[in-house]
Amino acid sequence: MSPSAASRPRVLSGIQPDFGLHLGNYLGALRNWARDQDRYENYFCIVDLHALTRHPDPERLRALTLELAAMYIACGLDPARCEIFVQSHVTAHSQLCWILETLTPMGWLERMTQFKARSEAQGAERVNTGVFTYPVLMAADILLYDADFVPVGEDQRQHIELSRDLAQRLNSQRGDIVRVPAPLISAVGARVMGLDTPEEKMSKSVAVDRPGHAVLLLDPPDVIRRKIARATTDTEPAVHKPVGAGVANLLEIYAALREVSTDGALAEFEGRRYSELKGAVADAVVDAMVPIQARYAELRADDDGLRRVLAQSAARVRLVADATLLRVQEAVGLR
Ligand code: AQP
């Protein structure tokens, strides 16, 4: 990273290498990271420790980690301007997590909606403890790098609040030890909904069993067009106010990709047939994905090059993370 970047506010964010990325991950996170990389000092990690909560096949986890590194760069992150690293390559994440866990009341974690959803789906006897403590590891990810901002989709707001609470708790008990981070959530595209179920957030894990739920970033153009053509709308033939959830979602995707306001998108399509709206949304998605897919293919032709980027970045960020960890360890009496 260039030396001048050090004077800018710092951002940190990450994505789990658990399933293929979808349009929500792009619009809620990756696209914003890439667009704003000259405004911030950038730390982006591939959060493989979080992905372990799904017990992936080891070979698959390794493959998805590399795939995600390539996707970060294909979506526009420049390794010369961003740290791009793998969470487990920096052991301080797990070490800080333990210290933070000792400061985290169980009640805070029991209130997390993502934990509630997964424990309801799997049953309290089967859901693993990693799913429960996941937000504490996420707080460690953020606090280790003294991030000012955490650019994420709307679904992560609650977890960032918990990171803030933990930072404040540590600071109030032990002095000014860590920076209190703030969420950075964009006005458009922060909550892309499922194409088949516009009442639910578009989600990677859901798309595994229901491909029509999400456009994946590596879907070929014909698949993208077919999925959008089949997106759930309602029984109206054309766009009229007030629009239902499915049409609102398509308008939001269109607005985010074509960089217009949602009101502007609504004005553009009002009175036009759903098929026209879907055609325009599909064009916008394909236009965005084609260059990403081409760049992704180039990057995957040199996996050793990708591994080098990750190793070099890990070597640099370890210094930052270890310094914070030492500060915390001293503050709590471990050093
Ligand atoms: N539907 C969405 N709209 C906007 N942003 C979204 N993000 C996720 N879904 C949407 C943002 O993408 C980043 C990826 O975060 P993650 O890897 O922690 O995964 P997640 O939030 O758990 O994403 P999924 O797709 O919903 O996965 P599963 O099915 O595993 O739960 C975050 O910034 C997130 O806000």
Side-chain angles (χ1 to χ4, degrees):
M1 236 183 311
S2 71
S4 61
S7 55
R8 298 180 196 140
R10 190 177 284 178
V11 293
L12 176 133
S13 200
I15 298 181
Q16 300 183 61
D18 48 5
F19 304 103
L21 293 187
H22 57 63
L23 194 58
N25 302 131
Y26 178 67
L27 294 177
L30 269 167
R31 186 184 69 140
N32 308 328
W33 304 352
R35 186 193 53 213
D36 294 339
Q37 63 193 317
D38 285 328
R39 294 174 55 185
Y40 299 112
E41 191 189 355
N42 306 286
Y43 283 68
F44 295 115
C45 59
I46 293 159
V47 288
D48 56 345
L49 294 173
H50 289 285
L52 275 186
T53 63
R54 294 196 185 270
H55 306 143
D57 170 74
E59 271 314 312
R60 186 170 154 72
L61 180 56
R62 275 187 279 273
L64 282 171
T65 298
L66 212 54
E67 175 178 321
L68 195 48
M71 281 312 267
Y72 277 15
I73 300 172
C75 286
L77 296 187
D78 173 2
R81 288 179 285 165
C82 304
E83 297 296 3
I84 299 173
F85 61 100
V86 179
Q87 181 189 32
S88 69
H89 295 181
V90 183
T91 51
H93 289 251
S94 309
Q95 290 170 279
L96 181 60
C97 179
W98 175 256
I99 298 173
L100 295 178
E101 278 180 23
T102 67
L103 298 175
T104 313
M106 301 261 287
W108 288 9
L109 300 181
E110 279 162 359
R111 282 197 285 278
M112 295 292 116
T113 49
Q114 225 174 63
F115 166 70
K116 284 199 274 191
R118 270 180 74 180
S119 60
E120 269 163 32
Q122 292 177 12
E125 282 301 311
R126 295 192 56 215
V127 68
N128 66 73
T129 323
V131 178
F132 186 60
T133 56
Y134 167 115
V136 188
L137 179 56
M138 182 164 158
D141 301 338
I142 298 165
L143 302 189
L144 267 183
Y145 298 97
D146 281 321
D148 296 283
F149 298 110
V150 189
V152 285
E154 182 60 47
D155 61 317
Q156 292 296 332
R157 187 186 288 280
Q158 198 185 28
H159 291 160
I160 312 291
E161 283 305 321
L162 189 122
S163 300
R164 287 173 63 81
D165 291 344
L166 275 172
Q168 278 158 350
R169 176 167 277 216
L170 183 61
N171 287 346
S172 73
Q173 287 181 1
R174 306 286 172 210
D176 244 358
I177 310 295
V178 288
R179 188 162 298 164
V180 180
L184 202 59
I185 298 176
S186 53
V188 183
R191 191 170 177 81
V192 177
M193 309 307 278
L195 295 176
D196 58 347
T197 44
E199 309 73 32
E200 285 176 16
K201 154 188 119 97
M202 186 177 281
S203 170
K204 294 190 213 110
S205 51
V206 174
V208 173
D209 295 326
R210 291 184 355 226
H213 174 77
V215 168
L216 302 184
L217 303 194
L218 292 178
D219 277 343
D222 60 317
V223 174
I224 294 175
R225 290 186 186 284
R226 200 162 54 240
K227 286 181 175 178
I228 292 173
R230 291 185 186 155
T232 303
T233 47
D234 48 48
T235 50
E236 298 289 320
V239 179
H240 288 297
K241 280 194 256 186
V243 296
V247 174
N249 192 37
L250 292 173
L251 288 169
E252 173 112 5
I253 292 170
Y254 180 84
L257 287 168
R258 293 297 190 211
E259 302 196 18
V260 295
S261 66
T262 41
D263 285 348
L266 178 56
E268 186 176 338
F269 289 98
E270 198 163 6
R272 291 168 66 186
R273 300 184 70 77
Y274 287 161
S275 55
E276 284 182 72
L277 169 63
K278 287 178 169 178
V281 173
D283 286 344
V285 177
V286 169
D287 287 351
M289 292 309 124
V290 164
I292 290 173
Q293 294 176 3
R295 180 80 182 109
Y296 176 82
E298 282 170 18
L299 289 158
R300 292 312 308 265
D302 180 16
D303 282 351
D304 283 343
L306 286 170
R307 288 192 191 94
R308 256 193 317 276
V309 166
L310 296 174
Q312 287 166 353
S313 193
R316 286 189 298 264
V317 304
R318 236 176 248 133
L319 303 176
V320 180
D322 287 348
T324 310
L325 179 65
L326 182 61
R327 225 161 58 225
V328 177
Q329 286 172 327
E330 283 172 349
V332 300
L334 294 174
R335 290 283 184 280

